[in-house]
Amino acid sequence: MRPLASSTRSEVPPTRANRSGRVTPVSAIVLATGLLIVAGAVSLVVGNGQIGFDRVGMVLLGGADEYAGDVVAARISRTVMGAVVGAALAVSGVLIQGVTRNPLGEPGLLGVTMGASASVVTATALFGFTGGFASVWVALPGAVLAVAVTYLLGRQSGSESVIPLVLAGAVVSAVLGAYVQAMILVDPTTFDSYRHWVVGSLAGADFDTLRAVLPALLLGVVLAWVCTSGLNSVALGEDVAVALGVPVARVRLGSIAGATLLAAGATAAVGPIAFVGLAVPHLVRALVGADHRAQLPVALVLGAAVLVASDVAARLVAWPQELMVGVVTAFVGAPFLLAAVRRGKVTT
Amino acid sequence: MSEPESEPVTGSVNGSVSQPSLRAERVTVGYGTHVVLSDLSLTLPRGRFTAVIGPNGCGKSTLVRTFARTLLPRSGEVLLDGVPLGRWKPKRIAQRVALLPQSPVVPDGVTVRSLVARGRHPYHSALRQWVPGDQEAIDVSMAATGVTDLAHESLTELSGGQRQRAWIAMVLAQDTDYVLLDEPTSFLDLAHQIDVLHLCQDIRDRGRTVVAVLHDLNQAARYADHVVVMREGQVAASGMPSDVITADLVRDVFSLECEIGPDPQAGTPMVVPLARS
Ligand SMILES: Nc1ncnc2c1ncn2[C@@H]1O[C@H](COP(=O)(O)OP(=O)(O)OP(=O)(O)O)[C@@H](O)[C@H]1O
Ligand SMILES: [Mg+2]
């Protein structure tokens, strides 16, 4: 090929080999998987119940007493639940930050958390639900409904700006938050059950709950995958995206729907868990850069690892007492997020 | 780029084979209640380097955006190969017409290579996010614009000129017949402006049609082989630079008194503003 004009000019600085210090998506996934395996293994052997490493081994080999078997089964289900919920929240955060181009984006931004809270509170006050399996079927639609309202309020045809959407999310969350406050102030029993629900916990996790939310989560991941490439183009501005043949409105709607299903499913299963959906996407970007196609699988595994690790920490920090994982995530996530910020790698 | 890829595509959506063409037919385009282009018709001459010139706010960006269907006309139609753009699938349009907007959003943390790779989007689907031609199209576009060595640099950390070339590389990777560039030379130093203009000529020489919005009349006259002069949402004149760019036209369109002399290098018209009286 004949050299073109520009390539003859030699003002190109010498390349600093991948100076952004990023890693390839594959090595990021390997890293996160390693973390997940370690955290998962530790998660099976720590916790109260006095079942140590040796007895866990016996259970897994099929030769232990019933008590040990029950304890280990409970640990397995909370570990699996932690991994699934962490993965869902992280991917949800990637989508929300991608679609709103907002570094503070997290699943609650568009009303998921407050939607779930408001419907749980309503159900408790009206029908006397006290958490457990019933709250799954209440929280999930509540969360989805809240985001639907946000979307309808914040949608502006022909407008490139996502600011109306974010503001609508803030309004919806504020109104629902005030409603929740009012309900729990007037009704002490509601308050009592709500305050257990509102700090997410993996302690009572079971596979029935997981099965109940799994369809929503799977659909959310599929939507996420379908939208990632479009999100990459939308990040270049609406004009460029349209010129690349991207259906911008559909990509936005699909991403929001996916993020909502993931976060709503996660919140319905274990209650609100803060920070994972905010911090993990930042860590993922610091690791693999701005390509959403690379971010998605890394977020999936890293989110799982972070939440399982947080749950292990929740069982250890106040030993022999247990804390709820929703209290601990910020403590576990903060150092990583801070490290990423300090290294100047946090971008939107 | 590679020879087979630069072959003009001659099929059209409904199967009838016709010569590739892109033209606007009596389009009226605006924003809200504000009409910018009214009843404008224009054919982009194939295989040429067309410069669009005109004063600020006359509708140049609106025109190129209409050709790329990032703006929809209220009435009239843009026809690609004789078929209205509305009847094409968006991705098929994007395989034929590329647009670099006037001020594209520069996302944080995106590397040059990753930006250029996004130009391949029209060839992908949800299940197929990579096609065999990608690698070559990306490499060739980066080489053509001289950004190969910047592949792993972050776009936000480049100079304006380097960044502009990265954007042009993205548009080239789209591998389209029509390449529309809205003010590709703005904010560049003179040497880089000339670089980009040479690049436009090179793209044309590879069989593509280039349309660039330019502000410098002398550059338009010298480097382009067709000029479209716009005034208040209308085409005031179009044709060969030497036919179109006259002292009368410049007075009419830009309200500037000038003298036209030959460019000492190329003999093309050169606008020299009169001294203030
Ligand atoms: N997004 C928009 N919303 C509303 N009005 C717009 C918008 N973009 C452009 N306009 C208006 O349309 C008219 C033409 O704008 P356009 O951007 O096409 O001009 P232009 O010839 O490209 O100008 P310039 O040389 O300054 O880039 C202007 O009056 C402008 O105010
Ligand atoms: Mg313009």
Side-chain angles (χ1 to χ4, degrees):
Chain A
M1 189 180 106
R2 177 170 80 76
L4 294 179
S6 314
S7 48
T8 58
R9 190 170 299 279
S10 62
E11 94 294 2
V12 174
T15 321
R16 285 141 290 184
N18 203 357
R19 71 155 167 202
S20 50
R22 298 211 162 98
V23 299
T24 65
V26 173
S27 35
I29 291 173
V30 170
L31 185 85
T33 308
L35 213 69
L36 177 60
I37 290 173
V38 171
V42 177
S43 173
L44 292 186
V45 297
V46 302
N48 50 26
Q50 311 292 336
I51 306 293
F53 189 69
D54 44 344
R55 286 175 78 189
V56 172
M58 280 161 64
V59 172
L60 294 179
L61 293 174
D65 52 295
E66 203 173 311
Y67 171 67
D70 288 349
V71 170
V72 173
R75 286 181 193 167
I76 289 176
S77 50
R78 80 187 286 172
T79 304
V80 172
M81 180 68 97
V84 170
V85 164
L89 290 173
V91 172
S92 178
V94 164
L95 291 175
I96 290 286
Q97 289 182 10
V99 82
T100 62
R101 287 189 232 144
N102 179 345
L104 290 179
E106 46 103 19
L109 191 71
L110 302 181
V112 170
T113 315
M114 288 326 291
S117 299
S119 52
V120 164
V121 161
T122 307
T124 311
L126 295 184
F127 312 112
F129 283 178
T130 49
F133 198 58
S135 63
V136 173
W137 294 113
V138 174
L140 189 60
V144 172
L145 193 65
V147 179
V149 171
T150 297
Y151 182 78
L152 292 178
L153 290 177
R155 190 181 49 155
Q156 276 185 355
S157 57
S159 162
E160 167 156 9
S161 174
V162 286
I163 291 170
L165 191 69
V166 175
L167 288 177
V171 168
V172 168
S173 292
V175 170
L176 292 175
Y179 167 77
V180 168
Q181 286 293 324
M183 293 299 276
I184 62 180
L185 284 176
V186 276
D187 183 358
T189 27
T190 302
F191 174 66
D192 225 40
S193 100
Y194 176 72
R195 95 195 148 85
H196 286 292
W197 180 82
V198 78
V199 183
S201 165
L202 294 171
D206 60 64
F207 281 109
D208 285 342
T209 309
L210 188 57
R211 261 194 294 277
V213 297
L214 208 54
L217 300 182
L218 290 178
L219 185 56
V221 170
V222 170
L223 278 172
W225 177 248
V226 171
C227 290
T228 46
S229 168
L231 275 181
N232 279 347
S233 306
V234 171
L236 306 178
E238 182 149 332
D239 254 9
V240 174
V242 173
L244 287 172
V246 175
V248 175
R250 255 191 286 161
V251 167
R252 287 220 177 102
L253 180 59
S255 306
I256 290 172
T260 302
L261 287 171
L262 287 164
T267 308
V270 302
I273 289 179
F275 215 67
V276 174
L278 172 69
V280 173
H282 280 293
L283 296 179
V284 169
R285 257 197 305 278
L287 280 173
V288 298
D291 186 345
H292 289 93
R293 287 177 303 179
Q295 285 176 16
L296 184 77
V298 179
L300 212 58
V301 186
L302 194 62
V306 165
L307 197 60
V308 172
S310 300
D311 190 43
V312 169
R315 278 176 262 167
L316 290 181
V317 281
W319 178 272
Q321 289 278 311
E322 268 189 24
L323 285 182
M324 288 177 278
V325 70
V327 179
V328 174
T329 44
F331 290 114
V332 173
F336 292 102
L337 183 55
L338 265 178
V341 172
R342 305 279 302 183
R343 288 173 66 194
K345 284 206 201 156
V346 170
T347 54
T348 47
Chain B
M1 324 263 15
S2 72
E3 285 329 309
E5 285 178 61
S6 66
E7 287 275 296
V9 183
T10 41
S12 80
V13 275
N14 48 16
S16 71
V17 176
S18 62
Q19 194 60 9
S21 69
L22 185 58
R23 69 175 202 272
E25 214 161 74
R26 308 197 56 181
V27 290
T28 298
V29 190
Y31 306 90
T33 54
H34 175 43
V35 172
V36 179
L37 310 178
S38 47
D39 212 21
L40 179 151
S41 298
L42 179 68
T43 300
L44 298 179
R46 236 189 89 66
R48 305 272 205 92
F49 171 9
T50 297
V52 178
I53 58 179
N56 288 133
C58 70
K60 303 180 295 296
S61 299
T62 306
L63 180 69
V64 291
R65 293 183 63 201
T66 306
F67 273 118
R69 204 173 163 77
T70 66
L71 267 181
L72 303 180
R74 295 190 193 167
S75 64
E77 246 152 8
V78 176
L79 302 140
L80 176 58
D81 301 351
V83 177
L85 283 186
R87 291 192 15 219
W88 288 73
K89 278 191 182 163
K91 275 200 178 162
R92 292 284 295 140
I93 299 174
Q95 292 171 5
R96 302 289 311 284
V97 183
L99 167 69
L100 177 59
Q102 187 166 353
S103 31
V105 176
V106 181
D108 268 344
V110 172
T111 61
V112 170
R113 194 183 166 83
S114 160
L115 177 76
V116 177
R118 290 176 193 194
R120 300 298 296 168
H121 184 276
Y123 300 93
H124 298 165
S125 65
L127 295 176
R128 233 169 115 77
Q129 311 227 332
W130 183 86
V131 293
D134 286 0
Q135 182 76 23
E136 197 195 354
I138 294 167
D139 288 344
V140 171
S141 309
M142 298 210 323
T145 50
V147 296
T148 307
D149 291 339
L150 302 173
H152 300 291
E153 303 288 322
S154 185
L155 205 60
T156 43
E157 290 166 16
L158 299 182
S159 79
Q162 293 170 330
R163 196 181 296 170
Q164 190 67 300
R165 282 186 284 137
W167 278 110
I168 296 175
M170 185 206 84
V171 169
L172 289 187
Q174 218 174 312
D175 204 12
T176 53
D177 291 344
Y178 291 90
V179 178
L180 313 180
L181 307 168
D182 195 352
E183 300 203 17
T185 56
S186 298
F187 310 113
L188 302 188
D189 67 40
L190 187 57
H192 282 110
Q193 291 179 25
I194 304 303
D195 257 1
V196 167
L197 293 166
H198 281 150
L199 185 57
C200 290
Q201 292 184 326
D202 291 333
I203 301 168
R204 172 202 60 198
D205 292 345
R206 288 173 176 275
R208 309 205 198 179
T209 302
V210 181
V211 178
V213 176
L214 300 176
H215 273 298
D216 188 313
L217 301 192
N218 299 336
Q219 289 179 359
R222 171 147 174 201
Y223 292 94
D225 39 24
H226 187 86
V227 290
V228 171
V229 187
M230 291 190 65
R231 178 185 51 198
E232 291 172 13
Q234 306 278 351
V235 175
S238 72
M240 295 246 303
S242 51
D243 297 339
V244 169
I245 296 180
T246 61
D248 285 344
L249 177 105
V250 174
R251 185 188 314 109
D252 259 19
V253 171
F254 294 93
S255 317
L256 179 75
E257 295 294 342
C258 72
E259 184 184 336
I260 305 278
D263 179 303
Q265 284 282 316
T268 49
M270 197 169 74
V271 176
V272 183
L274 297 189
R276 281 200 289 188
S277 48

